[in-house]
Amino acid sequence: MAKYLMLKHYRGAPCPEGFVPMDQWTPEEISAHVQYMHDFAAKLEKTGEFVDAQGLAPEGVWVRYDGEGRPPVTDGPFAETKDLIAGWMVIDVDNYERALELAGELSAAPGAGGKPIHEWLELRPFMAAPPTITE
């Protein structure tokens, strides 16, 4: 089994034809989208492929160590694309092909008018542990 992170972005990827931003959806369309996400996760729980998922608020800050005392906090730096992560899901699947299949299915979540949003998802494998040396 291999773990993959599927990242949902508010923006940053190419927009599909007919794209309608979520802030222009009706409350019913937003509810249908969220329900699709819950149903998708429930399906993966049954197959043992679901690990975790969370939505993220658009607000956030950057923090870093800067010597003794209070760490500096800022609302930047910003990614060049002005990208913002909306949420993520971690899956644990048998192979890369299955991860691609699930990311494609998740990309079909409904949006405005109940039509699939064809959302771009970033699919990233977790780093594997380095090989151990045995004597």
Side-chain angles (χ1 to χ4, degrees):
M1 299 289 278
K3 289 184 181 165
Y4 287 87
L5 175 65
M6 293 190 289
L7 291 169
K8 294 175 63 63
H9 296 267
Y10 282 117
R11 57 187 179 265
C15 285
E17 187 176 324
F19 174 75
V20 177
M22 188 180 257
D23 62 359
Q24 296 176 23
W25 297 0
T26 66
E28 294 79 18
E29 291 167 339
I30 292 172
S31 293
H33 179 81
V34 171
Q35 187 61 52
Y36 182 96
M37 302 293 292
H38 287 290
D39 293 346
F40 184 80
K43 180 182 86 167
L44 296 184
E45 284 177 340
K46 288 179 183 172
T47 64
E49 296 172 308
F50 179 81
V51 176
D52 194 16
Q54 298 291 325
L56 299 173
E59 307 84 29
V61 296
W62 288 75
V63 179
R64 72 170 188 177
Y65 176 76
D66 198 26
E68 293 302 318
R70 184 172 174 238
V73 177
T74 179
D75 65 346
F78 300 102
E80 186 174 327
T81 61
K82 302 284 192 263
D83 193 24
L84 184 63
I85 305 297
W88 49 267
M89 181 177 288
V90 177
I91 55 174
D92 195 357
V93 294
D94 287 331
N95 53 51
Y96 177 69
E97 289 74 23
R98 177 65 175 154
L100 288 175
E101 177 185 342
L102 292 175
E105 186 177 338
L106 186 56
S107 170
K115 297 178 182 170
I117 58 175
H118 304 282
E119 174 181 37
W120 284 96
L121 298 173
E122 184 178 354
L123 182 64
R124 308 238 342 234
F126 278 41
M127 290 181 69
T132 57
I133 300 173
T134 58
E135 296 183 87

